[in-house]
Amino acid sequence: MRSYIGGNQAVSATDFVELALGTPVELWLGVDGESELERAARLDAARDILAENPHLPDDAIRIAAAAIEEHVPELFNVVPLTRPVRRSRRVRKEAVA
């Protein structure tokens, strides 16, 4: 099954995020090894985008929350481990005596 957002095919989770936000993920998260000049340019571009689109952070949070609600519960389907009951020192001493 193919998924399309606004006429663009989304193949990976990153594609979904980029298409939903309208910007590449790297713009917000940065990349390993970027120089100070690259970082400054990236942050400047991000500030410009946020100035033109002030509701973008709310939209991003809404998208993330919806994705978590839809896909993450199976990741948290865990069985809690039981802990053995600890006996107090007095109970242990009485058991030894």
mmCIF file of all heavy atoms in Angstrom, residues 24-31 34-49:
data_model
loop_
_atom_site.group_PDB
_atom_site.id
_atom_site.type_symbol
_atom_site.label_atom_id
_atom_site.label_comp_id
_atom_site.label_asym_id
_atom_site.label_seq_id
_atom_site.Cartn_x
_atom_site.Cartn_y
_atom_site.Cartn_z
ATOM 1 N N PRO A 24 12.227 19.963 5.878
ATOM 2 C CA PRO A 24 13.028 18.784 6.209
ATOM 3 C C PRO A 24 13.289 18.697 7.715
ATOM 4 O O PRO A 24 13.432 19.717 8.394
ATOM 5 C CB PRO A 24 14.328 18.980 5.436
ATOM 6 C CG PRO A 24 14.344 20.391 4.993
ATOM 7 C CD PRO A 24 12.952 20.927 5.078
ATOM 8 N N VAL A 25 13.346 17.489 8.224
ATOM 9 C CA VAL A 25 13.576 17.272 9.650
ATOM 10 C C VAL A 25 14.917 17.868 10.077
ATOM 11 O O VAL A 25 15.050 18.407 11.179
ATOM 12 C CB VAL A 25 13.530 15.755 9.961
ATOM 13 C CG1 VAL A 25 13.903 15.466 11.400
ATOM 14 C CG2 VAL A 25 12.168 15.196 9.647
ATOM 15 N N GLU A 26 15.910 17.782 9.212
ATOM 16 C CA GLU A 26 17.250 18.284 9.539
ATOM 17 C C GLU A 26 17.261 19.771 9.854
ATOM 18 O O GLU A 26 18.118 20.250 10.581
ATOM 19 C CB GLU A 26 18.231 17.996 8.397
ATOM 20 C CG GLU A 26 18.535 16.539 8.183
ATOM 21 C CD GLU A 26 17.455 15.820 7.369
ATOM 22 O OE1 GLU A 26 16.573 16.485 6.766
ATOM 23 O OE2 GLU A 26 17.484 14.576 7.359
ATOM 24 N N LEU A 27 16.290 20.504 9.302
ATOM 25 C CA LEU A 27 16.216 21.942 9.583
ATOM 26 C C LEU A 27 16.017 22.187 11.064
ATOM 27 O O LEU A 27 16.580 23.122 11.637
ATOM 28 C CB LEU A 27 15.072 22.588 8.788
ATOM 29 C CG LEU A 27 14.825 24.066 9.075
ATOM 30 C CD1 LEU A 27 15.988 24.900 8.561
ATOM 31 C CD2 LEU A 27 13.533 24.517 8.461
ATOM 32 N N TRP A 28 15.250 21.342 11.718
ATOM 33 C CA TRP A 28 14.934 21.526 13.132
ATOM 34 C C TRP A 28 15.906 20.794 14.041
ATOM 35 O O TRP A 28 16.196 21.259 15.139
ATOM 36 C CB TRP A 28 13.506 21.071 13.407
ATOM 37 C CG TRP A 28 12.549 21.707 12.464
ATOM 38 C CD1 TRP A 28 11.939 21.132 11.396
ATOM 39 C CD2 TRP A 28 12.141 23.075 12.459
ATOM 40 N NE1 TRP A 28 11.171 22.047 10.733
ATOM 41 C CE2 TRP A 28 11.271 23.252 11.368
ATOM 42 C CE3 TRP A 28 12.420 24.174 13.275
ATOM 43 C CZ2 TRP A 28 10.672 24.466 11.065
ATOM 44 C CZ3 TRP A 28 11.818 25.386 12.976
ATOM 45 C CH2 TRP A 28 10.964 25.528 11.893
ATOM 46 N N LEU A 29 16.414 19.661 13.592
ATOM 47 C CA LEU A 29 17.278 18.849 14.451
ATOM 48 C C LEU A 29 18.762 19.044 14.197
ATOM 49 O O LEU A 29 19.580 18.700 15.031
ATOM 50 C CB LEU A 29 16.930 17.360 14.266
ATOM 51 C CG LEU A 29 15.488 16.979 14.559
ATOM 52 C CD1 LEU A 29 15.289 15.500 14.298
ATOM 53 C CD2 LEU A 29 15.101 17.351 15.977
ATOM 54 N N GLY A 30 19.092 19.560 13.021
ATOM 55 C CA GLY A 30 20.496 19.704 12.678
ATOM 56 C C GLY A 30 21.059 18.379 12.182
ATOM 57 O O GLY A 30 20.365 17.366 12.124
ATOM 58 N N VAL A 31 22.336 18.403 11.818
ATOM 59 C CA VAL A 31 23.011 17.199 11.347
ATOM 60 C C VAL A 31 24.348 17.081 12.059
ATOM 61 O O VAL A 31 24.932 18.087 12.496
ATOM 62 C CB VAL A 31 23.220 17.218 9.818
ATOM 63 C CG1 VAL A 31 21.903 17.131 9.079
ATOM 64 C CG2 VAL A 31 23.983 18.443 9.379
ATOM 65 N N GLU A 34 27.856 19.544 11.582
ATOM 66 C CA GLU A 34 27.623 20.824 10.919
ATOM 67 C C GLU A 34 28.512 21.896 11.548
ATOM 68 O O GLU A 34 28.778 21.884 12.748
ATOM 69 C CB GLU A 34 26.153 21.222 10.957
ATOM 70 C CG GLU A 34 25.637 21.651 12.293
ATOM 71 C CD GLU A 34 24.152 22.004 12.261
ATOM 72 O OE1 GLU A 34 23.527 22.016 11.201
ATOM 73 O OE2 GLU A 34 23.619 22.261 13.347
ATOM 74 N N SER A 35 28.968 22.818 10.710
ATOM 75 C CA SER A 35 29.836 23.897 11.192
ATOM 76 C C SER A 35 28.995 24.955 11.900
ATOM 77 O O SER A 35 27.763 24.958 11.812
ATOM 78 C CB SER A 35 30.592 24.522 10.014
ATOM 79 O OG SER A 35 29.680 25.232 9.179
ATOM 80 N N GLU A 36 29.652 25.848 12.582
ATOM 81 C CA GLU A 36 28.947 26.947 13.246
ATOM 82 C C GLU A 36 28.212 27.817 12.229
ATOM 83 O O GLU A 36 27.104 28.284 12.482
ATOM 84 C CB GLU A 36 29.930 27.803 14.056
ATOM 85 C CG GLU A 36 30.372 27.151 15.347
ATOM 86 C CD GLU A 36 29.202 26.911 16.292
ATOM 87 O OE1 GLU A 36 28.336 27.799 16.446
ATOM 88 O OE2 GLU A 36 29.147 25.813 16.866
ATOM 89 N N LEU A 37 28.810 28.015 11.062
ATOM 90 C CA LEU A 37 28.180 28.807 10.011
ATOM 91 C C LEU A 37 26.932 28.101 9.481
ATOM 92 O O LEU A 37 25.886 28.735 9.287
ATOM 93 C CB LEU A 37 29.173 29.056 8.869
ATOM 94 C CG LEU A 37 28.703 29.963 7.741
ATOM 95 C CD1 LEU A 37 28.357 31.348 8.272
ATOM 96 C CD2 LEU A 37 29.761 30.059 6.662
ATOM 97 N N GLU A 38 27.032 26.786 9.270
ATOM 98 C CA GLU A 38 25.867 26.015 8.810
ATOM 99 C C GLU A 38 24.760 26.027 9.862
ATOM 100 O O GLU A 38 23.583 26.167 9.543
ATOM 101 C CB GLU A 38 26.271 24.572 8.504
ATOM 102 C CG GLU A 38 27.161 24.435 7.290
ATOM 103 C CD GLU A 38 27.763 23.051 7.163
ATOM 104 O OE1 GLU A 38 28.032 22.398 8.195
ATOM 105 O OE2 GLU A 38 27.963 22.624 6.009
ATOM 106 N N ARG A 39 25.163 25.889 11.124
ATOM 107 C CA ARG A 39 24.176 25.907 12.212
ATOM 108 C C ARG A 39 23.460 27.255 12.276
ATOM 109 O O ARG A 39 22.248 27.334 12.413
ATOM 110 C CB ARG A 39 24.854 25.605 13.544
ATOM 111 C CG ARG A 39 23.893 25.558 14.712
ATOM 112 C CD ARG A 39 24.636 25.160 15.999
ATOM 113 N NE ARG A 39 23.715 24.895 17.067
ATOM 114 C CZ ARG A 39 23.226 25.816 17.909
ATOM 115 N NH1 ARG A 39 23.601 27.071 17.783
ATOM 116 N NH2 ARG A 39 22.374 25.488 18.843
ATOM 117 N N ALA A 40 24.233 28.345 12.167
ATOM 118 C CA ALA A 40 23.647 29.684 12.205
ATOM 119 C C ALA A 40 22.668 29.882 11.036
ATOM 120 O O ALA A 40 21.580 30.434 11.221
ATOM 121 C CB ALA A 40 24.747 30.737 12.169
ATOM 122 N N ALA A 41 23.046 29.407 9.842
ATOM 123 C CA ALA A 41 22.166 29.539 8.678
ATOM 124 C C ALA A 41 20.893 28.708 8.874
ATOM 125 O O ALA A 41 19.786 29.153 8.549
ATOM 126 C CB ALA A 41 22.900 29.091 7.416
ATOM 127 N N ARG A 42 21.037 27.493 9.424
ATOM 128 C CA ARG A 42 19.884 26.629 9.664
ATOM 129 C C ARG A 42 18.923 27.252 10.667
ATOM 130 O O ARG A 42 17.712 27.298 10.455
ATOM 131 C CB ARG A 42 20.367 25.261 10.176
ATOM 132 C CG ARG A 42 19.271 24.297 10.508
ATOM 133 C CD ARG A 42 19.830 22.951 10.936
ATOM 134 N NE ARG A 42 20.694 23.015 12.092
ATOM 135 C CZ ARG A 42 20.285 23.103 13.355
ATOM 136 N NH1 ARG A 42 18.993 23.163 13.627
ATOM 137 N NH2 ARG A 42 21.147 23.133 14.349
ATOM 138 N N LEU A 43 19.463 27.782 11.760
ATOM 139 C CA LEU A 43 18.620 28.412 12.772
ATOM 140 C C LEU A 43 17.961 29.685 12.250
ATOM 141 O O LEU A 43 16.814 29.975 12.591
ATOM 142 C CB LEU A 43 19.442 28.705 14.033
ATOM 143 C CG LEU A 43 19.940 27.478 14.792
ATOM 144 C CD1 LEU A 43 20.817 27.890 15.967
ATOM 145 C CD2 LEU A 43 18.779 26.619 15.250
ATOM 146 N N ASP A 44 18.674 30.405 11.400
ATOM 147 C CA ASP A 44 18.100 31.612 10.796
ATOM 148 C C ASP A 44 16.925 31.244 9.892
ATOM 149 O O ASP A 44 15.866 31.894 9.924
ATOM 150 C CB ASP A 44 19.181 32.359 10.007
ATOM 151 C CG ASP A 44 18.715 33.726 9.546
ATOM 152 O OD1 ASP A 44 18.077 34.444 10.350
ATOM 153 O OD2 ASP A 44 18.982 34.069 8.379
ATOM 154 N N ALA A 45 17.091 30.199 9.100
ATOM 155 C CA ALA A 45 16.001 29.737 8.238
ATOM 156 C C ALA A 45 14.814 29.265 9.076
ATOM 157 O O ALA A 45 13.656 29.559 8.759
ATOM 158 C CB ALA A 45 16.494 28.608 7.332
ATOM 159 N N ALA A 46 15.098 28.558 10.168
ATOM 160 C CA ALA A 46 14.020 28.077 11.049
ATOM 161 C C ALA A 46 13.260 29.251 11.661
ATOM 162 O O ALA A 46 12.027 29.233 11.739
ATOM 163 C CB ALA A 46 14.600 27.181 12.131
ATOM 164 N N ARG A 47 13.988 30.301 12.070
ATOM 165 C CA ARG A 47 13.329 31.492 12.628
ATOM 166 C C ARG A 47 12.429 32.155 11.588
ATOM 167 O O ARG A 47 11.316 32.587 11.897
ATOM 168 C CB ARG A 47 14.363 32.484 13.145
ATOM 169 C CG ARG A 47 14.838 32.202 14.548
ATOM 170 C CD ARG A 47 15.674 33.344 15.086
ATOM 171 N NE ARG A 47 16.969 33.432 14.427
ATOM 172 C CZ ARG A 47 18.038 32.721 14.776
ATOM 173 N NH1 ARG A 47 17.966 31.872 15.774
ATOM 174 N NH2 ARG A 47 19.178 32.854 14.120
ATOM 175 N N ASP A 48 12.904 32.219 10.346
ATOM 176 C CA ASP A 48 12.091 32.808 9.281
ATOM 177 C C ASP A 48 10.811 32.002 9.057
ATOM 178 O O ASP A 48 9.730 32.564 8.884
ATOM 179 C CB ASP A 48 12.881 32.882 7.965
ATOM 180 C CG ASP A 48 13.972 33.937 7.994
ATOM 181 O OD1 ASP A 48 13.959 34.797 8.906
ATOM 182 O OD2 ASP A 48 14.848 33.895 7.100
ATOM 183 N N ILE A 49 10.941 30.683 9.055
ATOM 184 C CA ILE A 49 9.773 29.815 8.851
ATOM 185 C C ILE A 49 8.781 29.997 9.988
ATOM 186 O O ILE A 49 7.574 30.093 9.779
ATOM 187 C CB ILE A 49 10.204 28.351 8.699
ATOM 188 C CG1 ILE A 49 10.921 28.165 7.362
ATOM 189 C CG2 ILE A 49 9.016 27.402 8.818
ATOM 190 C CD1 ILE A 49 11.603 26.835 7.195
#
